[in-house]
Amino acid sequence: MAKGWSGPLEQIDDYRWRIPKNAQSGMRVDGILYADDRLMEMVRQDNAPQQVANVACLPGIVRASYAMPDIHWGYGFCIGGVAATDIDSGGVVSPGGVGYDINCGVRMLTTSLEREAVQAELVRLMDTIYNSVPCGVGVGGQVKFSGREQRDLLERGAEFVVEKGYGRARDVEHTEARGCLDGADPGTVSDRALQRGVNQCGTLGSGNHFVEVQVVDEVYDEAAAEQLGIRRGLVTVMIHTGSRGLGHQVCDDSLRTMEKAMRRYNIELPDRQLACAPVDSPEGRRYLAGMRAAANFAWANRQILTHHVRRAFAEQFRQSDEELGLDLVYDVAHNVAKIEEHEVDGKARRLCVHRKGATRAFGPGSPELPEAYRGLGQPVIIPGDMGRASYLLVGTQAAMEQTFGTTCHGAGRTKSRKAAVRSAKGRSIQNELKKKGIIARARSSRGLAEEQSSAYKDVDLVVDVVHQAGLSRRVCRMKPMGVVKG
Amino acid sequence: MEPFEIIDHTADVGIAARGETPEDLFANAAAGMFSIITDPDNVEPRTSRPVTVSGSDRADLLVAFLNELLFLFETDRFITRRVEFDRLTETELAAVAHGEAIGPQHELETEIKAVTRHELAVEQRADDWHATVLFDI
């Protein structure tokens, strides 16, 4: 159903392309896409460039509507989209610029184990993780919170669940925004959202969410790797999930409010899914207060899952989880809107930065970073697909200057779910992975088919573009050993 | 023509539904949505749930209706097999969803996060009604 983009795409340099603002009526700024020639061939076939142009129509948008090299067709915003609006010039916040899965994100843990030690136990380890991590459609969590506790959780995020015993104090330090966005108001979260979320804190979900056991197979920057506690052959863990039904409902509730608000503020946009309201309006403030609560829920969710994974490792290797390392390197959000200060036309401006399938990548020196990483830049975790690789990078000053401190978030799909399932007919994805030495555990065989490697762009190409363009710097690559899917 | 077809989207999935009446259309859209979640042949209409929703126009109403069925699925573990309408206007509907609770006989394939409004369309053509709805997966 993708129609592709036939409008102008001007090449700026090896890694940047421009959709000029005269390409479509209503565009307030240019669209800027990061891609090399190979990725651009795929991007042209997709509807995503159209969405980049649509986003450029948002009131108050500054500099450009950006797209990362993992860009693909989303709803409203493309996935891989970055847009910042100037709050003091009527800039808007758009729930579509965050998405339904508010604070979908990814975290990475290092272990004290080498590949060989894990290889010997891999099948049993993956079974143990699979049995410890609630995953799949309609599967509830093991941790229950009272109404009062749920409110605290929405207000305080990761720290709240760490205090309840699900993690270590240092985990909070190593989480973007310390696992809690200020200004969350649980009172703005509807009863429906609370009902959807009540059973889901500490659950993985399905779709592209996963827990992976990985091994570092390539180190590009020895000094940075050492600072991050990483070396070749080391086993690591990656967890990818978000705010579950609670976040989905917060987004949906807000879209209905925003549609009405648009009429009141006389905002007209080319797509209903781009519904928005000024950041500085009752509707805008209300959405942000609810979105922050959902973001905090997501950090609590990944924190509880981390606890389950640590316990699974401890059970399998009969050692305490501290002895096994399992230290959190970092946790990043890749679907979120944040109020940040950036320079625009030489002046510091208060911006609402939407990152929809895009990762914050703050450079060295940012006060947002924990002490340990301040000289290095923010760790950026880029999951690839379950058959190929994932990456750890660090943020750069160039990203601060070019993209409000933002980089890509993953490989990006290239094949639809339907096409992926069709191409998997008569094959066992699980067996194919096993032949490559990767142990996969999943509730649904269709889910595995939808998520097979060939449905994604090659993450190596995507990461190469952000590295070459300077948006973040490659530290190391991890190969999957085992994967748990919903 | 089929009551619904699954349509391609790079990251997500959608349905193109049709029906001779708006009631048919809405019922077929619901069937299409649940066919993404699980095999409808394994779902029996053993119990029912009342569904009452409103929307700002027919397309918004369809989104609200599908969202309500998803809400029942997530919070009440209720899988809808078919729907009967008591009332369906442009902005309001009252219906009864027939189906059953999730059980071991249901292999749940795909979680739908939400019913989106992206490229949402509900239209009357010469002989029938058509809807396009995309889901966030």
Side-chain angles (χ1 to χ4, degrees), chain A residues 272-352:
Chain A
R272 222 169 160 169
Q273 193 75 38
L274 287 177
C276 59
V279 176
D280 202 2
S281 70
E283 294 86 354
R285 280 191 291 272
R286 190 178 170 83
Y287 167 67
L288 282 169
M291 182 214 72
R292 289 168 181 146
N296 294 347
F297 182 92
W299 273 310
N301 185 30
R302 290 198 287 279
Q303 187 60 47
I304 293 174
L305 289 170
T306 302
H307 173 79
H308 291 328
V309 167
R310 283 176 175 153
R311 276 217 313 216
F313 266 83
E315 186 186 324
Q316 193 57 48
F317 292 97
R318 294 190 188 81
Q319 275 180 281
S320 75
D321 64 82
E322 281 89 358
E323 284 171 321
L324 292 165
L326 293 160
D327 292 315
L328 183 60
V329 175
Y330 206 62
D331 174 305
V332 291
H334 55 222
N335 278 358
V336 78
K338 282 177 155 177
I339 310 301
E340 294 171 4
E341 200 175 279
H342 292 276
E343 220 168 85
V344 180
D345 300 329
K347 286 192 203 101
R349 307 296 304 173
R350 222 161 44 97
L351 305 178
C352 178

Side-chain angles (χ1 to χ4, degrees), chain A residues 147-169:
Chain A
R148 175 69 225 235
E149 288 174 320
Q150 213 182 12
R151 271 197 306 280
D152 286 349
L153 184 152
L154 294 176
E155 230 167 65
R156 298 180 50 216
E159 193 175 49
F160 174 76
V161 294
V162 167
E163 281 173 16
K164 290 269 167 201
Y166 301 100
R168 311 171 186 168

Side-chain angles (χ1 to χ4, degrees), chain A residues 46 51 72-73 75 100-101 138 192 196 206 244 252 256 271-273 413 416-418 444 446, chain B residues 6 8-12 36 54 57 60 67-68 74 77 109 111 113-118 136:
Chain A
D46 198 53
Q51 297 188 312
H72 59 79
W73 185 21
Y75 28 85
Y100 286 96
D101 199 356
R192 285 171 77 86
R196 285 181 73 173
S206 74
R244 314 287 293 110
D252 194 66
R256 306 193 91 187
D271 184 346
R272 222 169 160 169
Q273 193 75 38
R413 283 191 82 92
S416 73
R417 290 177 184 277
K418 186 178 165 185
S444 146
R446 190 159 97 192
Chain B
I6 302 298
D8 270 334
H9 178 282
T10 317
D12 297 306
I36 294 168
S54 60
D57 55 32
D60 191 49
N67 266 327
E68 182 66 22
E74 237 180 74
R77 305 174 63 79
E109 303 274 6
E111 180 177 71
K113 289 178 183 168
V115 183
T116 81
R117 287 167 174 75
H118 180 60
D136 186 17

Side-chain angles (χ1 to χ4, degrees), chain A residues 1-3 46-47 51 72-76 79 99-101 104 136-140 191-193 195-197 199-200 204-209 244-246 248-249 252 255-256 259-260 263 271-273 413-419 422 443-447 450 486, chain B residues 5-15 33-39 52-65 67-75 77 102 107-121 132-137:
Chain A
M1 175 168 160
K3 296 179 276 284
D46 198 53
N47 293 359
Q51 297 188 312
H72 59 79
W73 185 21
Y75 28 85
I79 313 298
Y100 286 96
D101 199 356
C104 184
V137 188
V139 175
D191 286 344
R192 285 171 77 86
Q195 273 175 270
R196 285 181 73 173
N199 269 327
Q200 294 185 336
L204 192 62
S206 74
N208 61 358
H209 295 159
R244 314 287 293 110
L246 183 133
H248 313 160
Q249 190 66 42
D252 194 66
L255 283 170
R256 306 193 91 187
E259 269 201 21
K260 288 187 199 120
R263 288 193 281 273
D271 184 346
R272 222 169 160 169
Q273 193 75 38
R413 283 191 82 92
T414 177
K415 203 183 267 178
S416 73
R417 290 177 184 277
K418 186 178 165 185
R422 206 183 303 127
R443 297 270 173 225
S444 146
S445 55
R446 190 159 97 192
E450 288 177 356
Chain B
E5 281 172 62
I6 302 298
I7 51 179
D8 270 334
H9 178 282
T10 317
D12 297 306
V13 69
I15 51 163
M33 180 173 79
F34 277 95
S35 79
I36 294 168
I37 297 171
T38 192
D39 183 350
T52 310
V53 291
S54 60
S56 57
D57 55 32
R58 213 185 285 276
D60 191 49
L61 183 67
L62 178 61
V63 170
F65 167 64
N67 266 327
E68 182 66 22
L69 298 181
L70 269 191
F71 182 73
L72 287 173
F73 173 71
E74 237 180 74
T75 58
R77 305 174 63 79
I102 300 173
E107 193 188 347
L108 301 175
E109 303 274 6
T110 307
E111 180 177 71
I112 295 180
K113 289 178 183 168
V115 183
T116 81
R117 287 167 174 75
H118 180 60
E119 305 207 340
L120 172 68
T132 306
V133 188
L134 293 175
F135 303 105
D136 186 17
I137 300 294

Side-chain angles (χ1 to χ4, degrees), chain A residues 446-461:
Chain A
R446 190 159 97 192
L448 272 186
E450 288 177 356
E451 292 294 319
Q452 62 180 296
S453 272
S454 67
Y456 284 88
K457 295 178 193 171
D458 184 348
V459 71
D460 291 348
L461 298 183

